[in-house]
Coordinates of all heavy atoms in Angstrom, one line a residue:
G105 N -36.5 17.0 14.1 CA -36.9 17.2 15.5 C -35.7 17.1 16.4 O -34.6 16.6 16.0
P106 N -35.8 17.6 17.7 CA -34.6 17.6 18.6 C -34.0 16.3 18.8 O -34.6 15.3 18.9 CB -35.2 18.1 19.9 CG -36.6 18.7 19.6 CD -37.0 18.0 18.3
C107 N -32.6 16.2 18.8 CA -31.9 15.0 19.0 C -31.7 14.8 20.5 O -31.9 15.7 21.3 CB -30.6 15.0 18.2 SG -29.3 16.1 19.0
N108 N -31.3 13.6 20.8 CA -31.2 13.2 22.2 C -30.1 14.0 22.9 O -30.3 14.4 24.1 CB -30.9 11.7 22.4 CG -32.2 10.9 22.1 OD1 -33.3 11.4 22.2 ND2 -32.0 9.7 21.7
D109 N -29.0 14.3 22.2 CA -27.9 15.1 22.8 C -28.4 16.5 23.2 O -28.1 17.1 24.2 CB -26.7 15.2 21.9 CG -26.0 13.9 21.8 OD1 -26.1 13.1 22.7 OD2 -25.4 13.6 20.7
C110 N -29.2 17.1 22.3 CA -29.7 18.5 22.5 C -30.8 18.4 23.7 O -30.8 19.3 24.5 CB -30.4 19.1 21.3 SG -29.1 19.7 20.1
L111 N -31.6 17.4 23.7 CA -32.6 17.3 24.8 C -31.9 17.2 26.2 O -32.3 17.8 27.1 CB -33.5 16.1 24.6 CG -34.6 16.2 23.5 CD1 -35.4 14.9 23.4 CD2 -35.5 17.4 23.8
E113 N -29.0 18.5 26.9 CA -28.5 19.8 27.3 C -29.6 20.7 27.7 O -29.5 21.6 28.6 CB -27.8 20.4 26.1 CG -26.4 19.8 25.8 CD -25.9 20.2 24.4 OE1 -26.7 20.4 23.5 OE2 -24.7 20.3 24.3
L127 N -32.2 25.8 20.9 CA -30.9 25.0 20.7 C -31.1 24.0 19.6 O -32.2 23.6 19.3 CB -30.5 24.4 22.0 CG -31.0 22.9 22.3 CD1 -30.1 22.3 23.4 CD2 -32.4 22.8 22.6
N128 N -30.0 23.7 18.9 CA -30.0 22.7 17.9 C -28.6 22.3 17.6 O -27.7 22.9 18.2 CB -30.7 23.2 16.6 CG -30.0 24.5 16.0 OD1 -29.0 24.3 15.4 ND2 -30.5 25.6 16.3
C129 N -28.4 21.4 16.7 CA -27.0 21.0 16.3 C -27.0 20.5 14.9 O -28.0 20.5 14.2 CB -26.4 20.0 17.3 SG -27.1 18.4 17.2
T130 N -25.9 19.9 14.5 CA -25.9 19.4 13.1 C -26.8 18.2 12.9 O -27.2 17.8 11.8 CB -24.5 18.9 12.7 OG1 -24.0 18.1 13.8 CG2 -23.5 20.0 12.4
Q131 N -27.2 17.6 14.0 CA -28.1 16.4 13.9 C -29.6 16.8 14.1 O -30.5 15.9 14.0 CB -27.7 15.4 15.0 CG -26.3 14.9 14.8 CD -26.1 14.4 13.4 OE1 -26.7 13.5 12.9 NE2 -25.1 15.0 12.7
C132 N -29.9 18.0 14.3 CA -31.3 18.4 14.5 C -31.5 19.9 14.3 O -30.6 20.6 14.1 CB -31.8 18.0 15.9 SG -31.1 19.0 17.3
G133 N -32.8 20.3 14.3 CA -33.2 21.7 14.2 C -33.8 22.0 12.8 O -34.0 21.1 12.0
R170 N -20.0 19.1 18.1 CA -21.3 18.7 17.4 C -21.9 19.8 16.7 O -22.8 19.6 15.9 CB -22.2 18.1 18.5 CG -23.3 17.3 18.0 CD -24.1 16.6 19.2 NE -25.2 17.4 19.7 CZ -25.3 18.0 20.8 NH1 -24.3 18.0 21.7 NH2 -26.3 18.7 21.2
R171 N -21.5 21.0 17.0 CA -22.2 22.2 16.3 C -21.3 22.8 15.3 O -21.5 23.9 14.8 CB -22.6 23.2 17.4 CG -23.6 22.7 18.3 CD -24.3 23.7 19.1 NE -25.5 23.1 19.8 CZ -25.4 22.4 20.9 NH1 -24.3 22.2 21.5 NH2 -26.6 21.8 21.3
Ligands
ZN1 ZN1 -29.2 18.3 18.2

Side-chain angles (χ1 to χ4, degrees):
C107 73
N108 288 334
D109 289 333
C110 283
L111 284 178
E113 289 168 326
L127 92 166
N128 61 79
C129 73
T130 47
Q131 299 309 301
C132 73
R170 199 171 92 248
R171 296 195 168 81

